[in-house]
Amino acid sequence: MEKLKVVFHISDTNRWPILLSNVRNLVKDLGEESVRIKIIANGMAVLAYMPEPDNQRILRNVRELSESGLTFMACRNSLLGNNIDEKILPDEIEIVPAGITELVKKQNKGYGYIKP
Amino acid sequence: MEKLKVVFHISDTNRWPILLSNVRNLVKDLGEESVRIKIIANGMAVLAYMPEPDNQRILRNVRELSESGLTFMACRNSLLGNNIDEKILPDEIEIVPAGITELVKKQNKGYGYIKP
Amino acid sequence: MEKLKVVFHISDTNRWPILLSNVRNLVKDLGEESVRIKIIANGMAVLAYMPEPDNQRILRNVRELSESGLTFMACRNSLLGNNIDEKILPDEIEIVPAGITELVKKQNKGYGYIKP
C-alpha cells in the first residue's frame, strides 16, 4: 500500500511545540513505515534551527525524528533574511532554495498540507 | 456531479467564530447537498466542545450545523492532553484517535484543506 | 509541462507582508511562466485592499504582482461584513461571492494551498 504523505508548514517560532506534538502523534498513530513526513520551516521559524541554548529541546526532537526518517527543511531565503549562516545548522537540516516552492511542489506530488 | 469535499482544521480556541462564519458562508453559497464538510479540532481548540457557559454560542452552532450534515470531530490526544473526559462532550462530536492523522487521510481522499 | 498551481489564503491583516514576501520568492524561484498563483483574502484581511494611506505599500505590491499575472481576490461576504463598498477597491482586485468556496474549488482543480 502506498504511504500517506504530508508536509507540515511552520512559519512562526512559537508553533514549534505544537508542530512537534502533532508530528509525534502522527508517527505514533500510523507507524513510521506507513507515512512520509516532511517539515518545511520558513520565515521566523528557521530561527529555531540555530544551535543556541533556547533551542535545545526543539533540536533534540528534530534530531530524534530525523533519525526516525522524517525530513526537516529550512528555506534559504528565510535564512538569508535572518542573517543565519547555513553552515552553523545541524547536519540533519535540509536546505531548500525557497520553502514556498517546496510546499507547492510537494502538494503537487500528492502530499497533504498541514499548518499547525 | 461529485460533491466538493473540504476539511477545516482548527487548533486555536479563538478561531472558532471565524471558522463558524466560514462554514456558514460555504453552506449558504454552495448548498448543503453539494459540499461535504468536516471540522477537525485539535490542540486547545477542543476546549470549546466542553459544555460550559462560555461555549454555549459555539455549541449551539455545532449542533445546528451537525443537523445540517456537517461533521465535527475532536482529537482524542488533545482531549487527554487537556484532561477532558470525552463522555461529557455533546453526542454530535465524533472522537478520532488523532486529529492530525484524520487531516492527512482526508486530504488523501480528495478533501481540500482550510485553516481558518 | 503543466504549470504548478497554488492558492494563498490570507485572513489576518498582519500577514500581508509575509504573504507578499512568500509570493515574490515563489515567482523569483520558479519564474512567472511556470506557476499560476491566486491570492484569496477573506475576513479582516480584505481591509488591506482599501485605498488608504496605511495600505499604500501593500497596494503597490498588489498592482505590480497583478501586472505579472497573479490574481488577487476579495471575498464579498467579508467586504459586506466590514462595510466596505467594493466599488472603491482597485480595479485589479477580483471580487468572489465567497472566498472559502473559491479556496475549496481551487484545491479541487489541483491547486496547492498555502496559509502564510
Side-chain angles (χ1 to χ4, degrees), chain A residues 16-71:
Chain A
W16 274 105
I18 298 174
L19 178 140
L20 292 169
S21 165
N22 285 177
V23 161
R24 286 200 177 276
N25 281 331
L26 186 58
V27 171
K28 190 178 65 179
D29 192 43
L30 290 175
E32 290 161 22
E33 67 290 352
S34 54
V35 58
R36 183 167 300 153
I37 302 172
K38 300 195 182 290
I39 294 95
I40 300 181
N42 72 345
M44 302 295 278
V46 299
L47 292 171
Y49 286 145
M50 296 177 73
E52 294 185 346
D54 281 354
N55 294 336
Q56 287 318 302
R57 196 179 155 277
I58 293 174
L59 289 176
R60 196 177 57 241
N61 275 278
V62 166
R63 194 171 54 242
E64 286 173 15
L65 290 164
S66 296
E67 287 167 0
S68 303
L70 280 67
T71 308

Side-chain angles (χ1 to χ4, degrees), chain C residues 6 10 19 44-45 49 67 72 82 91 103 105-106 110 112 116:
Chain C
V6 58
I10 179 163
L19 178 139
M44 301 295 277
Y49 287 145
E67 286 167 0
F72 286 82
N82 286 291
D91 286 345
L103 287 166
K105 287 186 173 173
K106 285 285 175 287

Side-chain angles (χ1 to χ4, degrees), chain B residues 24-67:
Chain B
R24 286 200 177 276
N25 282 332
L26 186 57
V27 170
K28 192 179 64 180
D29 192 41
L30 289 175
E32 291 161 21
E33 68 290 351
S34 54
V35 59
R36 184 168 298 153
I37 302 172
K38 299 194 184 291
I39 295 95
I40 299 181
N42 73 345
M44 303 295 277
V46 299
L47 293 171
Y49 286 145
M50 296 176 74
E52 293 185 347
D54 282 355
N55 294 335
Q56 288 318 303
R57 198 180 152 274
I58 292 173
L59 289 176
R60 196 177 57 240
N61 275 278
V62 166
R63 196 171 51 242
E64 287 174 13
L65 290 164
S66 295
E67 288 167 359

Side-chain angles (χ1 to χ4, degrees), chain A residues 4-6 8 15 22 25-26 28-30 112-116, chain B residues 9 11-12 42 77 97-98 100-101 103-105 107-108 113 115:
Chain A
L4 283 170
K5 296 178 288 189
V6 57
F8 285 84
R15 306 300 280 185
N22 285 177
N25 281 331
L26 186 58
K28 190 178 65 179
D29 192 43
L30 290 175
Y113 171 95
I114 291 179
K115 184 85 188 266
Chain B
H9 177 202
S11 41
D12 295 311
N42 73 345
N77 289 320
I100 293 296
T101 301
L103 287 166
V104 181
K105 286 186 173 172
Q107 290 183 72
N108 189 247
Y113 171 95
K115 184 88 187 265

